[in-house]
């Protein structure tokens, strides 16, 4: 198997692992899962899954492939000076994966998906429920998930009294 073929197969494995990756609880401007799926789908030569194609930020904007095409098509696109063109070409990310680098990507992602480090470095109740304020972290999680909202008086009491 050639090196290029091994990299493509590795990228396909990374895409399969990324599809198992959990959804992000907080919606940011950029999603780790969506951007990595877009990146490795392009390397693997497979289309982006339809569900995540809508989540990729900037879907209606110019893609990185279109920018690469514009920069590489002519010697001076859009009337740019040659030094500016060189700066743009240097700024465009180039995915140059080797077989060993792709194996490292697969290993790292599978460790994340399987919660290897969370299980390996398990923290006990002493950290999750400190003696001084055992409900502290649970209150934060409930507030983030919208289960239990504190009103202004309860919030002030928490700030001043510590509980």
């Amino acid at each position: 198997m050639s090196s290029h073929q091994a990299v493509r197969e590795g990228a396909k494995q990374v895409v399969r692992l990324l599809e198992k990756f959990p959804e992000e609880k907080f919606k940011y401007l950029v999603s780790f899962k969506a951007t990595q799926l877009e990146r490795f789908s392009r390397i693997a030569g497979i289309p982006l899954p339809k569900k995540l194609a809508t989540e990729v930020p900037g879907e209606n904007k110019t893609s990185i492939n279109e920018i690469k095409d514009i920069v590489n098509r002519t010697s001076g696109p859009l009337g740019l000076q040659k030094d500016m063109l060189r700066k743009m070409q240097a700024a465009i990310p180039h995915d140059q994966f080797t077989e060993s680098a792709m194996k490292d990507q697969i290993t790292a992602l599978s460790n994340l998906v399987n919660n290897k480090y969370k299980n390996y470095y398990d923290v006990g109740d002493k950290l999750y429920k400190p003696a001084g304020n055992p409900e502290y972290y649970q209150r934060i999680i409930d507030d983030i998930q919208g289960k239990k909202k504190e009103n202004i008086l309860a919030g002030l009491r928490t700030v001043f009294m510590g509980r």
Side-chain angles (χ1 to χ4, degrees):
M1 182 182 304
S2 70
S3 176
H4 179 69
Q5 187 65 22
V7 168
R8 282 184 76 130
E9 290 301 317
K12 288 178 184 177
Q13 286 180 337
V14 169
V15 168
R16 283 193 294 271
L17 284 170
L18 281 167
E19 288 171 347
K20 294 178 188 175
F21 207 73
E23 295 297 322
E24 295 173 359
K25 292 184 181 182
F26 303 109
K27 299 295 180 190
Y28 297 105
L29 295 175
V30 178
S31 166
F32 171 77
K33 182 177 180 178
T35 55
Q36 295 304 309
L37 269 170
E38 180 185 19
R39 176 185 185 196
F40 286 104
S41 294
R42 186 175 60 243
I43 294 169
I46 56 176
L48 192 62
K50 295 214 185 255
K51 179 186 172 211
L52 291 166
T54 59
E55 294 179 15
V56 174
E59 185 70 25
N60 55 358
K61 298 180 184 174
T62 307
S63 71
I64 191 77
N65 289 334
E66 291 171 346
I67 292 171
K68 284 181 183 179
D69 183 49
I70 290 170
V71 170
N72 293 330
R73 192 171 355 142
T74 61
S75 61
L78 306 174
L80 295 175
Q81 297 172 347
K82 290 193 184 249
D83 61 332
M84 181 57 118
L85 181 62
R86 279 191 292 262
K87 287 179 185 177
M88 283 180 62
Q89 286 175 337
I92 293 175
H94 299 285
D95 290 327
Q96 300 292 331
F97 285 107
T98 62
E99 196 172 343
S100 63
M102 194 57 72
K103 286 180 184 177
D104 291 342
Q105 293 284 330
I106 293 168
T107 303
L109 194 58
S110 63
N111 287 342
L112 285 174
V113 168
N114 296 330
N115 287 328
K116 176 184 176 183
Y117 299 108
K118 180 183 177 190
N119 297 332
Y120 186 77
Y121 298 107
D122 190 31
V123 245
D125 277 347
K126 199 171 190 180
L127 186 64
Y128 287 130
K129 296 180 181 182
N133 194 354
E135 299 298 318
Y136 179 73
Y137 293 113
Q138 190 59 47
R139 267 195 13 253
I140 291 174
I141 291 172
D142 288 345
D143 194 38
I144 289 171
Q145 294 175 346
K147 291 180 183 174
K148 184 177 164 186
K149 295 281 185 181
E150 284 188 355
N151 60 22
I152 189 73
L153 294 175
L156 286 172
R157 181 181 53 106
T158 302
V159 169
F160 291 119
M161 304 298 268
R163 292 187 187 215

